[in-house]
């Protein structure tokens, strides 16, 4: 799966998890600006791990602030 395909799936999961369908997301979108709290981020990470069939490193997860960083963490975990 290439970066663009990962990004598209991440955007879909962010929309579903954070219920922000009317917001255009890109790699620079900050998750906290979308209203995500720590519970939302945990829910998102769980959804990402299920979707991509991987386990994300806790250190990577703690550093995630943007959609692009989510994509980076997934690429690193594959």
């Amino acid at each position: 799966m290439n970066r663009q395909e990962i990004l598209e799936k991440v955007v879909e999961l962010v929309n579903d998890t954070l219920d922000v369908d009317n917001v255009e997301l890109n790699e620079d979108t900050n998750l906290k600006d979308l209203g995500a709290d720590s519970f939302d981020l945990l829910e998102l990470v769980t959804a990402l791990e299920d979707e991509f069939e991987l386990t994300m490193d806790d250190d990577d997860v703690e550093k995630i602030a943007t959609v692009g960083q989510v994509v980076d963490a997934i690429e690193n975990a594959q």
Side-chain angles (χ1 to χ4, degrees), residues 3-32:
R3 187 173 182 84
Q4 184 61 36
E5 292 169 329
I6 294 171
L7 176 61
E8 289 170 9
K9 195 62 183 174
V10 167
V11 166
E12 180 182 321
L13 289 170
V14 168
N15 281 330
D16 291 347
T17 304
L18 303 181
D19 196 26
V20 290
D21 291 331
N22 297 328
V23 177
E24 186 169 331
L25 304 175
N26 60 49
E27 289 201 37
D28 296 325
T29 303
N30 188 300
L31 298 172
K32 292 194 181 194

Side-chain angles (χ1 to χ4, degrees), residues 2 7-8 11 15 20 25-26 31 35-36 41 44 52 55-56 59 62 65-66 68 70 72 76:
N2 68 37
L7 176 61
E8 289 170 9
V11 166
N15 281 330
V20 290
L25 304 175
N26 60 49
L31 298 172
L41 294 177
L44 177 60
F52 291 98
T55 301
M56 297 172 71
D59 291 335
E62 290 178 11
T66 67
V70 172
D72 292 341
N76 291 337

Side-chain angles (χ1 to χ4, degrees), residues 41-58:
L41 294 177
L42 178 61
E43 188 177 350
L44 177 60
V45 167
T46 301
L48 293 164
E49 289 178 332
D50 290 345
E51 178 65 33
F52 291 98
E53 299 179 351
L54 52 80
T55 301
M56 297 172 71
D57 183 76
D58 288 341

